[in-house]
Amino acid sequence: MSNYSHPLTPDEFRDIYSKVPRLTVEVVIRSPAGVLLTLRGIEPCRGLWHLPGGTVRFGEKLFDAVRRVAATELGIDVVAAHPLGYIEYPSHHENGLDSPVGIAFDVVDYTGVPHPGDGATAARWFTELPRAMHREQADFLRSHSTGVFIGRTASQPRR
């Protein structure tokens, strides 16, 4: 797993990502109980359910970013994950934020019990998407409903 400390100050982050797209990873975990979402406790998007995710740091491998984000936001150790697709976030740009593009990863093996971590006030399994959900992530999960959201339950924790 990567051992990166947060490399940018808030001002540096805003300055850089006001000029270039921001690469993120999104963590998709499924079980017979549904898909795991967390409730944002911080801005942006406070109060919305979303896929746990975060910025890929300079020089960080994508799988290492998935492991770091899952450990920080869910308290789990990802053993295996596979890319599902990408999510563009025009709502961020439209609201004067940044312009992220997320690569969603299907976590197929992990250890630990998921729970809300940094930036989240709750974590819950959903078999139907909640109304108060990040728009682009909801669209992504709907477009991948066969095998990703409803019906397929490959993700199981390793004990």
Side-chain angles (χ1 to χ4, degrees), residues 3-52:
N3 294 317
Y4 293 86
S5 61
H6 201 294
L8 302 173
T9 67
D11 287 339
E12 290 170 328
F13 186 93
R14 280 188 294 277
D15 183 52
I16 290 169
Y17 293 118
S18 70
K19 297 176 178 99
V20 298
R22 180 168 61 93
L23 180 62
T24 66
V25 292
E26 318 303 342
V27 179
V28 178
I29 300 177
R30 295 167 291 114
S31 81
V35 66
L36 184 65
L37 302 176
T38 56
L39 185 62
R40 292 274 301 178
I42 59 173
E43 292 297 344
C45 306
R46 182 190 343 243
L48 294 180
W49 290 96
H50 74 108
L51 293 168

mmCIF file of all heavy atoms in Angstrom, residues 3-52:
data_model
loop_
_atom_site.group_PDB
_atom_site.id
_atom_site.type_symbol
_atom_site.label_atom_id
_atom_site.label_comp_id
_atom_site.label_asym_id
_atom_site.label_seq_id
_atom_site.Cartn_x
_atom_site.Cartn_y
_atom_site.Cartn_z
ATOM 1 N N ASN A 3 2.470 4.864 0.872
ATOM 2 C CA ASN A 3 2.734 5.567 2.124
ATOM 3 C C ASN A 3 2.840 7.062 1.878
ATOM 4 O O ASN A 3 3.758 7.717 2.342
ATOM 5 C CB ASN A 3 4.043 5.053 2.745
ATOM 6 C CG ASN A 3 3.926 3.618 3.183
ATOM 7 O OD1 ASN A 3 2.923 3.239 3.760
ATOM 8 N ND2 ASN A 3 4.939 2.821 2.895
ATOM 9 N N TYR A 4 1.887 7.621 1.152
ATOM 10 C CA TYR A 4 1.898 9.024 0.815
ATOM 11 C C TYR A 4 1.210 9.833 1.902
ATOM 12 O O TYR A 4 0.122 9.498 2.335
ATOM 13 C CB TYR A 4 1.131 9.267 -0.497
ATOM 14 C CG TYR A 4 1.772 8.680 -1.713
ATOM 15 C CD1 TYR A 4 1.540 7.364 -2.089
ATOM 16 C CD2 TYR A 4 2.602 9.456 -2.506
ATOM 17 C CE1 TYR A 4 2.118 6.840 -3.222
ATOM 18 C CE2 TYR A 4 3.184 8.923 -3.639
ATOM 19 C CZ TYR A 4 2.941 7.617 -3.985
ATOM 20 O OH TYR A 4 3.514 7.095 -5.101
ATOM 21 N N SER A 5 1.851 10.922 2.339
ATOM 22 C CA SER A 5 1.135 11.881 3.168
ATOM 23 C C SER A 5 0.431 12.827 2.195
ATOM 24 O O SER A 5 0.698 12.811 0.996
ATOM 25 C CB SER A 5 2.111 12.639 4.063
ATOM 26 O OG SER A 5 3.035 13.355 3.266
ATOM 27 N N HIS A 6 -0.475 13.661 2.712
ATOM 28 C CA HIS A 6 -1.187 14.557 1.792
ATOM 29 C C HIS A 6 -0.179 15.533 1.208
ATOM 30 O O HIS A 6 0.442 16.307 1.934
ATOM 31 C CB HIS A 6 -2.308 15.303 2.517
ATOM 32 C CG HIS A 6 -3.330 15.805 1.577
ATOM 33 N ND1 HIS A 6 -3.073 16.777 0.648
ATOM 34 C CD2 HIS A 6 -4.608 15.453 1.395
ATOM 35 C CE1 HIS A 6 -4.147 17.008 -0.058
ATOM 36 N NE2 HIS A 6 -5.099 16.211 0.376
ATOM 37 N N PRO A 7 0.032 15.496 -0.104
ATOM 38 C CA PRO A 7 1.129 16.233 -0.716
ATOM 39 C C PRO A 7 0.864 17.719 -0.987
ATOM 40 O O PRO A 7 1.797 18.450 -1.275
ATOM 41 C CB PRO A 7 1.348 15.495 -2.039
ATOM 42 C CG PRO A 7 0.000 14.939 -2.370
ATOM 43 C CD PRO A 7 -0.644 14.621 -1.047
ATOM 44 N N LEU A 8 -0.387 18.173 -0.911
ATOM 45 C CA LEU A 8 -0.703 19.555 -1.274
ATOM 46 C C LEU A 8 -1.434 20.283 -0.155
ATOM 47 O O LEU A 8 -2.248 19.687 0.549
ATOM 48 C CB LEU A 8 -1.608 19.588 -2.522
ATOM 49 C CG LEU A 8 -1.090 18.933 -3.788
ATOM 50 C CD1 LEU A 8 -2.183 18.909 -4.851
ATOM 51 C CD2 LEU A 8 0.135 19.663 -4.307
ATOM 52 N N THR A 9 -1.171 21.571 -0.050
ATOM 53 C CA THR A 9 -1.969 22.403 0.848
ATOM 54 C C THR A 9 -3.317 22.632 0.164
ATOM 55 O O THR A 9 -3.439 22.449 -1.060
ATOM 56 C CB THR A 9 -1.299 23.765 1.089
ATOM 57 O OG1 THR A 9 -1.317 24.506 -0.129
ATOM 58 C CG2 THR A 9 0.132 23.606 1.617
ATOM 59 N N PRO A 10 -4.341 23.045 0.897
ATOM 60 C CA PRO A 10 -5.630 23.334 0.254
ATOM 61 C C PRO A 10 -5.517 24.371 -0.865
ATOM 62 O O PRO A 10 -6.158 24.239 -1.911
ATOM 63 C CB PRO A 10 -6.506 23.838 1.404
ATOM 64 C CG PRO A 10 -5.933 23.154 2.614
ATOM 65 C CD PRO A 10 -4.445 23.111 2.352
ATOM 66 N N ASP A 11 -4.686 25.402 -0.684
ATOM 67 C CA ASP A 11 -4.516 26.419 -1.734
ATOM 68 C C ASP A 11 -3.832 25.839 -2.968
ATOM 69 O O ASP A 11 -4.226 26.135 -4.096
ATOM 70 C CB ASP A 11 -3.720 27.618 -1.212
ATOM 71 C CG ASP A 11 -4.525 28.492 -0.263
ATOM 72 O OD1 ASP A 11 -5.784 28.419 -0.302
ATOM 73 O OD2 ASP A 11 -3.907 29.235 0.513
ATOM 74 N N GLU A 12 -2.805 24.999 -2.771
ATOM 75 C CA GLU A 12 -2.140 24.355 -3.903
ATOM 76 C C GLU A 12 -3.106 23.446 -4.657
ATOM 77 O O GLU A 12 -3.131 23.435 -5.887
ATOM 78 C CB GLU A 12 -0.926 23.545 -3.427
ATOM 79 C CG GLU A 12 0.230 24.373 -2.936
ATOM 80 C CD GLU A 12 1.299 23.522 -2.261
ATOM 81 O OE1 GLU A 12 0.973 22.489 -1.638
ATOM 82 O OE2 GLU A 12 2.476 23.912 -2.359
ATOM 83 N N PHE A 13 -3.905 22.679 -3.903
ATOM 84 C CA PHE A 13 -4.886 21.778 -4.502
ATOM 85 C C PHE A 13 -5.839 22.566 -5.396
ATOM 86 O O PHE A 13 -6.051 22.226 -6.554
ATOM 87 C CB PHE A 13 -5.654 21.053 -3.387
ATOM 88 C CG PHE A 13 -6.602 19.991 -3.877
ATOM 89 C CD1 PHE A 13 -6.195 18.673 -3.977
ATOM 90 C CD2 PHE A 13 -7.910 20.307 -4.219
ATOM 91 C CE1 PHE A 13 -7.066 17.685 -4.414
ATOM 92 C CE2 PHE A 13 -8.789 19.333 -4.657
ATOM 93 C CZ PHE A 13 -8.365 18.016 -4.754
ATOM 94 N N ARG A 14 -6.437 23.635 -4.854
ATOM 95 C CA ARG A 14 -7.379 24.455 -5.637
ATOM 96 C C ARG A 14 -6.699 25.076 -6.854
ATOM 97 O O ARG A 14 -7.279 25.108 -7.938
ATOM 98 C CB ARG A 14 -7.999 25.539 -4.760
ATOM 99 C CG ARG A 14 -9.135 25.037 -3.884
ATOM 100 C CD ARG A 14 -9.846 26.176 -3.183
ATOM 101 N NE ARG A 14 -9.004 26.868 -2.218
ATOM 102 C CZ ARG A 14 -8.794 26.449 -0.968
ATOM 103 N NH1 ARG A 14 -9.375 25.351 -0.539
ATOM 104 N NH2 ARG A 14 -8.014 27.127 -0.164
ATOM 105 N N ASP A 15 -5.482 25.567 -6.675
ATOM 106 C CA ASP A 15 -4.777 26.212 -7.791
ATOM 107 C C ASP A 15 -4.493 25.219 -8.915
ATOM 108 O O ASP A 15 -4.778 25.492 -10.078
ATOM 109 C CB ASP A 15 -3.461 26.834 -7.290
ATOM 110 C CG ASP A 15 -2.731 27.571 -8.406
ATOM 111 O OD1 ASP A 15 -3.370 28.421 -9.077
ATOM 112 O OD2 ASP A 15 -1.536 27.289 -8.622
ATOM 113 N N ILE A 16 -3.964 24.068 -8.583
ATOM 114 C CA ILE A 16 -3.624 23.069 -9.604
ATOM 115 C C ILE A 16 -4.880 22.554 -10.302
ATOM 116 O O ILE A 16 -4.965 22.534 -11.524
ATOM 117 C CB ILE A 16 -2.825 21.898 -8.984
ATOM 118 C CG1 ILE A 16 -1.424 22.368 -8.596
ATOM 119 C CG2 ILE A 16 -2.757 20.712 -9.951
ATOM 120 C CD1 ILE A 16 -0.656 21.391 -7.741
ATOM 121 N N TYR A 17 -5.889 22.130 -9.502
ATOM 122 C CA TYR A 17 -7.057 21.489 -10.093
ATOM 123 C C TYR A 17 -8.090 22.472 -10.637
ATOM 124 O O TYR A 17 -9.131 22.069 -11.125
ATOM 125 C CB TYR A 17 -7.663 20.476 -9.126
ATOM 126 C CG TYR A 17 -6.714 19.312 -8.918
ATOM 127 C CD1 TYR A 17 -6.191 19.017 -7.675
ATOM 128 C CD2 TYR A 17 -6.304 18.538 -10.001
ATOM 129 C CE1 TYR A 17 -5.297 17.962 -7.505
ATOM 130 C CE2 TYR A 17 -5.420 17.492 -9.844
ATOM 131 C CZ TYR A 17 -4.915 17.203 -8.593
ATOM 132 O OH TYR A 17 -4.035 16.169 -8.441
ATOM 133 N N SER A 18 -7.761 23.765 -10.605
ATOM 134 C CA SER A 18 -8.578 24.741 -11.332
ATOM 135 C C SER A 18 -8.098 24.855 -12.772
ATOM 136 O O SER A 18 -8.742 25.495 -13.598
ATOM 137 C CB SER A 18 -8.518 26.112 -10.651
ATOM 138 O OG SER A 18 -7.230 26.689 -10.806
ATOM 139 N N LYS A 19 -6.973 24.185 -13.066
ATOM 140 C CA LYS A 19 -6.363 24.283 -14.394
ATOM 141 C C LYS A 19 -6.307 22.963 -15.155
ATOM 142 O O LYS A 19 -6.196 22.965 -16.376
ATOM 143 C CB LYS A 19 -4.936 24.830 -14.246
ATOM 144 C CG LYS A 19 -4.876 26.223 -13.672
ATOM 145 C CD LYS A 19 -3.435 26.654 -13.478
ATOM 146 C CE LYS A 19 -3.362 28.046 -12.952
ATOM 147 N NZ LYS A 19 -3.145 28.125 -11.530
ATOM 148 N N VAL A 20 -6.328 21.856 -14.434
ATOM 149 C CA VAL A 20 -6.205 20.541 -15.079
ATOM 150 C C VAL A 20 -7.226 19.583 -14.477
ATOM 151 O O VAL A 20 -7.668 19.765 -13.337
ATOM 152 C CB VAL A 20 -4.786 19.943 -14.915
ATOM 153 C CG1 VAL A 20 -3.731 20.816 -15.572
ATOM 154 C CG2 VAL A 20 -4.455 19.720 -13.450
ATOM 155 N N PRO A 21 -7.609 18.533 -15.231
ATOM 156 C CA PRO A 21 -8.512 17.520 -14.657
ATOM 157 C C PRO A 21 -7.851 16.814 -13.473
ATOM 158 O O PRO A 21 -6.622 16.726 -13.389
ATOM 159 C CB PRO A 21 -8.741 16.534 -15.800
ATOM 160 C CG PRO A 21 -8.349 17.266 -17.026
ATOM 161 C CD PRO A 21 -7.290 18.257 -16.626
ATOM 162 N N ARG A 22 -8.677 16.332 -12.567
ATOM 163 C CA ARG A 22 -8.189 15.608 -11.389
ATOM 164 C C ARG A 22 -8.579 14.142 -11.522
ATOM 165 O O ARG A 22 -9.750 13.807 -11.667
ATOM 166 C CB ARG A 22 -8.806 16.207 -10.122
ATOM 167 C CG ARG A 22 -8.366 15.522 -8.845
ATOM 168 C CD ARG A 22 -8.779 16.335 -7.617
ATOM 169 N NE ARG A 22 -10.213 16.498 -7.509
ATOM 170 C CZ ARG A 22 -11.022 15.703 -6.819
ATOM 171 N NH1 ARG A 22 -10.543 14.638 -6.197
ATOM 172 N NH2 ARG A 22 -12.317 15.952 -6.750
ATOM 173 N N LEU A 23 -7.583 13.251 -11.485
ATOM 174 C CA LEU A 23 -7.824 11.817 -11.571
ATOM 175 C C LEU A 23 -8.184 11.281 -10.189
ATOM 176 O O LEU A 23 -7.496 11.562 -9.203
ATOM 177 C CB LEU A 23 -6.588 11.089 -12.105
ATOM 178 C CG LEU A 23 -6.717 9.576 -12.249
ATOM 179 C CD1 LEU A 23 -7.813 9.207 -13.238
ATOM 180 C CD2 LEU A 23 -5.382 8.977 -12.657
ATOM 181 N N THR A 24 -9.279 10.513 -10.128
ATOM 182 C CA THR A 24 -9.704 9.906 -8.876
ATOM 183 C C THR A 24 -9.941 8.414 -9.082
ATOM 184 O O THR A 24 -10.032 7.942 -10.214
ATOM 185 C CB THR A 24 -11.010 10.540 -8.340
ATOM 186 O OG1 THR A 24 -12.080 10.252 -9.237
ATOM 187 C CG2 THR A 24 -10.863 12.043 -8.172
ATOM 188 N N VAL A 25 -10.032 7.693 -7.980
ATOM 189 C CA VAL A 25 -10.483 6.304 -7.998
ATOM 190 C C VAL A 25 -11.753 6.228 -7.173
ATOM 191 O O VAL A 25 -11.914 6.945 -6.180
ATOM 192 C CB VAL A 25 -9.415 5.314 -7.467
ATOM 193 C CG1 VAL A 25 -8.226 5.238 -8.408
ATOM 194 C CG2 VAL A 25 -8.979 5.658 -6.056
ATOM 195 N N GLU A 26 -12.677 5.376 -7.590
ATOM 196 C CA GLU A 26 -13.936 5.157 -6.887
ATOM 197 C C GLU A 26 -13.975 3.682 -6.501
ATOM 198 O O GLU A 26 -13.646 2.813 -7.316
ATOM 199 C CB GLU A 26 -15.137 5.491 -7.779
ATOM 200 C CG GLU A 26 -15.002 6.757 -8.614
ATOM 201 C CD GLU A 26 -14.719 8.038 -7.855
ATOM 202 O OE1 GLU A 26 -14.933 8.092 -6.629
ATOM 203 O OE2 GLU A 26 -14.263 9.000 -8.480
ATOM 204 N N VAL A 27 -14.378 3.395 -5.269
ATOM 205 C CA VAL A 27 -14.355 2.051 -4.724
ATOM 206 C C VAL A 27 -15.771 1.468 -4.724
ATOM 207 O O VAL A 27 -16.648 1.973 -4.027
ATOM 208 C CB VAL A 27 -13.776 2.068 -3.287
ATOM 209 C CG1 VAL A 27 -13.776 0.672 -2.687
ATOM 210 C CG2 VAL A 27 -12.370 2.654 -3.284
ATOM 211 N N VAL A 28 -15.980 0.431 -5.531
ATOM 212 C CA VAL A 28 -17.284 -0.234 -5.614
ATOM 213 C C VAL A 28 -17.181 -1.565 -4.888
ATOM 214 O O VAL A 28 -16.380 -2.423 -5.269
ATOM 215 C CB VAL A 28 -17.709 -0.453 -7.090
ATOM 216 C CG1 VAL A 28 -19.050 -1.181 -7.158
ATOM 217 C CG2 VAL A 28 -17.762 0.873 -7.850
ATOM 218 N N ILE A 29 -17.991 -1.712 -3.829
ATOM 219 C CA ILE A 29 -18.017 -2.954 -3.070
ATOM 220 C C ILE A 29 -19.459 -3.454 -3.045
ATOM 221 O O ILE A 29 -20.367 -2.707 -2.687
ATOM 222 C CB ILE A 29 -17.511 -2.763 -1.628
ATOM 223 C CG1 ILE A 29 -16.073 -2.251 -1.658
ATOM 224 C CG2 ILE A 29 -17.608 -4.080 -0.854
ATOM 225 C CD1 ILE A 29 -15.509 -1.956 -0.289
ATOM 226 N N ARG A 30 -19.620 -4.708 -3.464
ATOM 227 C CA ARG A 30 -20.954 -5.317 -3.515
ATOM 228 C C ARG A 30 -21.012 -6.528 -2.599
ATOM 229 O O ARG A 30 -19.990 -7.155 -2.329
ATOM 230 C CB ARG A 30 -21.270 -5.745 -4.946
ATOM 231 C CG ARG A 30 -21.368 -4.579 -5.894
ATOM 232 C CD ARG A 30 -21.374 -4.985 -7.356
ATOM 233 N NE ARG A 30 -20.068 -5.512 -7.753
ATOM 234 C CZ ARG A 30 -19.860 -6.771 -8.106
ATOM 235 N NH1 ARG A 30 -20.823 -7.642 -8.169
ATOM 236 N NH2 ARG A 30 -18.655 -7.179 -8.450
ATOM 237 N N SER A 31 -22.209 -6.817 -2.156
ATOM 238 C CA SER A 31 -22.461 -8.007 -1.348
ATOM 239 C C SER A 31 -23.906 -8.410 -1.589
ATOM 240 O O SER A 31 -24.629 -7.700 -2.292
ATOM 241 C CB SER A 31 -22.228 -7.709 0.139
ATOM 242 O OG SER A 31 -23.354 -7.076 0.701
ATOM 243 N N PRO A 32 -24.355 -9.489 -0.995
ATOM 244 C CA PRO A 32 -25.780 -9.821 -1.122
ATOM 245 C C PRO A 32 -26.682 -8.694 -0.596
ATOM 246 O O PRO A 32 -27.835 -8.587 -0.980
ATOM 247 C CB PRO A 32 -25.933 -11.098 -0.290
ATOM 248 C CG PRO A 32 -24.574 -11.727 -0.370
ATOM 249 C CD PRO A 32 -23.614 -10.569 -0.334
ATOM 250 N N ALA A 33 -26.133 -7.824 0.260
ATOM 251 C CA ALA A 33 -26.908 -6.707 0.817
ATOM 252 C C ALA A 33 -26.979 -5.513 -0.136
ATOM 253 O O ALA A 33 -27.671 -4.539 0.143
ATOM 254 C CB ALA A 33 -26.301 -6.272 2.148
ATOM 255 N N GLY A 34 -26.254 -5.542 -1.253
ATOM 256 C CA GLY A 34 -26.284 -4.448 -2.223
ATOM 257 C C GLY A 34 -24.919 -3.856 -2.470
ATOM 258 O O GLY A 34 -23.905 -4.536 -2.377
ATOM 259 N N VAL A 35 -24.905 -2.564 -2.766
ATOM 260 C CA VAL A 35 -23.656 -1.838 -2.999
ATOM 261 C C VAL A 35 -23.415 -0.937 -1.796
ATOM 262 O O VAL A 35 -24.354 -0.376 -1.218
ATOM 263 C CB VAL A 35 -23.698 -1.023 -4.321
ATOM 264 C CG1 VAL A 35 -24.715 0.094 -4.279
ATOM 265 C CG2 VAL A 35 -22.320 -0.482 -4.685
ATOM 266 N N LEU A 36 -22.149 -0.813 -1.388
ATOM 267 C CA LEU A 36 -21.800 -0.022 -0.220
ATOM 268 C C LEU A 36 -21.586 1.434 -0.615
ATOM 269 O O LEU A 36 -20.781 1.734 -1.501
ATOM 270 C CB LEU A 36 -20.532 -0.573 0.435
ATOM 271 C CG LEU A 36 -20.110 0.120 1.729
ATOM 272 C CD1 LEU A 36 -21.151 -0.115 2.827
ATOM 273 C CD2 LEU A 36 -18.756 -0.382 2.166
ATOM 274 N N LEU A 37 -22.324 2.325 0.042
ATOM 275 C CA LEU A 37 -22.173 3.766 -0.158
ATOM 276 C C LEU A 37 -21.878 4.415 1.186
ATOM 277 O O LEU A 37 -22.267 3.887 2.235
ATOM 278 C CB LEU A 37 -23.452 4.377 -0.741
ATOM 279 C CG LEU A 37 -23.937 3.822 -2.070
ATOM 280 C CD1 LEU A 37 -25.271 4.463 -2.452
ATOM 281 C CD2 LEU A 37 -22.910 4.040 -3.174
ATOM 282 N N THR A 38 -21.198 5.552 1.149
ATOM 283 C CA THR A 38 -20.966 6.316 2.365
ATOM 284 C C THR A 38 -21.642 7.673 2.232
ATOM 285 O O THR A 38 -21.833 8.184 1.129
ATOM 286 C CB THR A 38 -19.459 6.498 2.656
ATOM 287 O OG1 THR A 38 -18.823 7.106 1.544
ATOM 288 C CG2 THR A 38 -18.797 5.167 2.961
ATOM 289 N N LEU A 39 -21.997 8.238 3.375
ATOM 290 C CA LEU A 39 -22.651 9.539 3.418
ATOM 291 C C LEU A 39 -21.592 10.597 3.675
ATOM 292 O O LEU A 39 -20.905 10.556 4.706
ATOM 293 C CB LEU A 39 -23.709 9.553 4.525
ATOM 294 C CG LEU A 39 -24.567 10.799 4.634
ATOM 295 C CD1 LEU A 39 -25.384 11.019 3.357
ATOM 296 C CD2 LEU A 39 -25.491 10.691 5.844
ATOM 297 N N ARG A 40 -21.453 11.529 2.722
ATOM 298 C CA ARG A 40 -20.421 12.563 2.826
ATOM 299 C C ARG A 40 -20.693 13.466 4.016
ATOM 300 O O ARG A 40 -21.772 14.010 4.162
ATOM 301 C CB ARG A 40 -20.376 13.431 1.570
ATOM 302 C CG ARG A 40 -19.898 12.756 0.315
ATOM 303 C CD ARG A 40 -18.445 12.729 0.115
ATOM 304 N NE ARG A 40 -17.817 14.034 0.062
ATOM 305 C CZ ARG A 40 -16.502 14.175 -0.079
ATOM 306 N NH1 ARG A 40 -15.732 13.124 -0.204
ATOM 307 N NH2 ARG A 40 -15.960 15.366 -0.096
ATOM 308 N N GLY A 41 -19.674 13.644 4.843
ATOM 309 C CA GLY A 41 -19.771 14.541 5.984
ATOM 310 C C GLY A 41 -19.011 15.827 5.767
ATOM 311 O O GLY A 41 -18.999 16.699 6.627
ATOM 312 N N ILE A 42 -18.337 15.937 4.608
ATOM 313 C CA ILE A 42 -17.528 17.114 4.288
ATOM 314 C C ILE A 42 -17.866 17.594 2.880
ATOM 315 O O ILE A 42 -18.469 16.874 2.093
ATOM 316 C CB ILE A 42 -16.011 16.796 4.386
ATOM 317 C CG1 ILE A 42 -15.633 15.655 3.428
ATOM 318 C CG2 ILE A 42 -15.614 16.471 5.814
ATOM 319 C CD1 ILE A 42 -14.143 15.369 3.327
ATOM 320 N N GLU A 43 -17.473 18.825 2.587
ATOM 321 C CA GLU A 43 -17.637 19.355 1.233
ATOM 322 C C GLU A 43 -16.500 18.849 0.357
ATOM 323 O O GLU A 43 -15.420 18.566 0.864
ATOM 324 C CB GLU A 43 -17.641 20.891 1.246
ATOM 325 C CG GLU A 43 -18.853 21.488 1.927
ATOM 326 C CD GLU A 43 -20.179 21.162 1.248
ATOM 327 O OE1 GLU A 43 -20.190 20.721 0.091
ATOM 328 O OE2 GLU A 43 -21.212 21.327 1.911
ATOM 329 N N PRO A 44 -16.693 18.735 -0.938
ATOM 330 C CA PRO A 44 -17.955 18.996 -1.616
ATOM 331 C C PRO A 44 -18.931 17.830 -1.444
ATOM 332 O O PRO A 44 -18.539 16.728 -1.050
ATOM 333 C CB PRO A 44 -17.541 19.157 -3.078
ATOM 334 C CG PRO A 44 -16.322 18.318 -3.231
ATOM 335 C CD PRO A 44 -15.625 18.376 -1.881
ATOM 336 N N CYS A 45 -20.171 18.095 -1.732
ATOM 337 C CA CYS A 45 -21.229 17.078 -1.754
ATOM 338 C C CYS A 45 -21.630 16.577 -0.368
ATOM 339 O O CYS A 45 -22.094 15.443 -0.238
ATOM 340 C CB CYS A 45 -20.868 15.918 -2.674
ATOM 341 S SG CYS A 45 -20.438 16.430 -4.342
ATOM 342 N N ARG A 46 -21.442 17.401 0.667
ATOM 343 C CA ARG A 46 -21.859 17.012 2.018
ATOM 344 C C ARG A 46 -23.335 16.627 2.010
ATOM 345 O O ARG A 46 -24.152 17.285 1.390
ATOM 346 C CB ARG A 46 -21.631 18.142 3.009
ATOM 347 C CG ARG A 46 -22.002 17.741 4.429
ATOM 348 C CD ARG A 46 -22.041 18.859 5.458
ATOM 349 N NE ARG A 46 -21.383 20.066 5.094
ATOM 350 C CZ ARG A 46 -20.329 20.578 5.742
ATOM 351 N NH1 ARG A 46 -19.828 19.936 6.764
ATOM 352 N NH2 ARG A 46 -19.807 21.721 5.360
ATOM 353 N N GLY A 47 -23.664 15.529 2.695
ATOM 354 C CA GLY A 47 -25.042 15.084 2.806
ATOM 355 C C GLY A 47 -25.526 14.185 1.687
ATOM 356 O O GLY A 47 -26.671 13.763 1.687
ATOM 357 N N LEU A 48 -24.642 13.871 0.728
ATOM 358 C CA LEU A 48 -25.011 12.973 -0.367
ATOM 359 C C LEU A 48 -24.353 11.610 -0.155
ATOM 360 O O LEU A 48 -23.218 11.511 0.307
ATOM 361 C CB LEU A 48 -24.551 13.537 -1.720
ATOM 362 C CG LEU A 48 -25.199 14.822 -2.195
ATOM 363 C CD1 LEU A 48 -24.627 15.222 -3.554
ATOM 364 C CD2 LEU A 48 -26.708 14.689 -2.265
ATOM 365 N N TRP A 49 -25.083 10.561 -0.531
ATOM 366 C CA TRP A 49 -24.508 9.226 -0.556
ATOM 367 C C TRP A 49 -23.611 9.124 -1.783
ATOM 368 O O TRP A 49 -23.923 9.708 -2.827
ATOM 369 C CB TRP A 49 -25.608 8.171 -0.612
ATOM 370 C CG TRP A 49 -26.373 8.089 0.667
ATOM 371 C CD1 TRP A 49 -27.550 8.702 0.956
ATOM 372 C CD2 TRP A 49 -25.990 7.378 1.836
ATOM 373 N NE1 TRP A 49 -27.932 8.425 2.237
ATOM 374 C CE2 TRP A 49 -26.986 7.588 2.806
ATOM 375 C CE3 TRP A 49 -24.904 6.572 2.178
ATOM 376 C CZ2 TRP A 49 -26.928 7.042 4.079
ATOM 377 C CZ3 TRP A 49 -24.853 6.013 3.439
ATOM 378 C CH2 TRP A 49 -25.849 6.251 4.377
ATOM 379 N N HIS A 50 -22.510 8.419 -1.662
ATOM 380 C CA HIS A 50 -21.584 8.304 -2.793
ATOM 381 C C HIS A 50 -20.713 7.066 -2.651
ATOM 382 O O HIS A 50 -20.641 6.454 -1.586
ATOM 383 C CB HIS A 50 -20.716 9.563 -2.893
ATOM 384 C CG HIS A 50 -19.662 9.640 -1.831
ATOM 385 N ND1 HIS A 50 -18.339 9.454 -2.091
ATOM 386 C CD2 HIS A 50 -19.750 9.852 -0.501
ATOM 387 C CE1 HIS A 50 -17.640 9.559 -0.969
ATOM 388 N NE2 HIS A 50 -18.477 9.801 0.009
ATOM 389 N N LEU A 51 -20.073 6.742 -3.759
ATOM 390 C CA LEU A 51 -19.047 5.705 -3.737
ATOM 391 C C LEU A 51 -17.818 6.292 -3.057
ATOM 392 O O LEU A 51 -17.415 7.410 -3.382
ATOM 393 C CB LEU A 51 -18.673 5.288 -5.164
ATOM 394 C CG LEU A 51 -19.747 4.572 -5.965
ATOM 395 C CD1 LEU A 51 -19.350 4.495 -7.432
ATOM 396 C CD2 LEU A 51 -20.009 3.187 -5.391
ATOM 397 N N PRO A 52 -17.214 5.579 -2.125
ATOM 398 C CA PRO A 52 -15.977 6.092 -1.543
ATOM 399 C C PRO A 52 -14.952 6.305 -2.655
ATOM 400 O O PRO A 52 -14.860 5.503 -3.596
ATOM 401 C CB PRO A 52 -15.544 4.978 -0.597
ATOM 402 C CG PRO A 52 -16.784 4.193 -0.331
ATOM 403 C CD PRO A 52 -17.613 4.296 -1.573
#
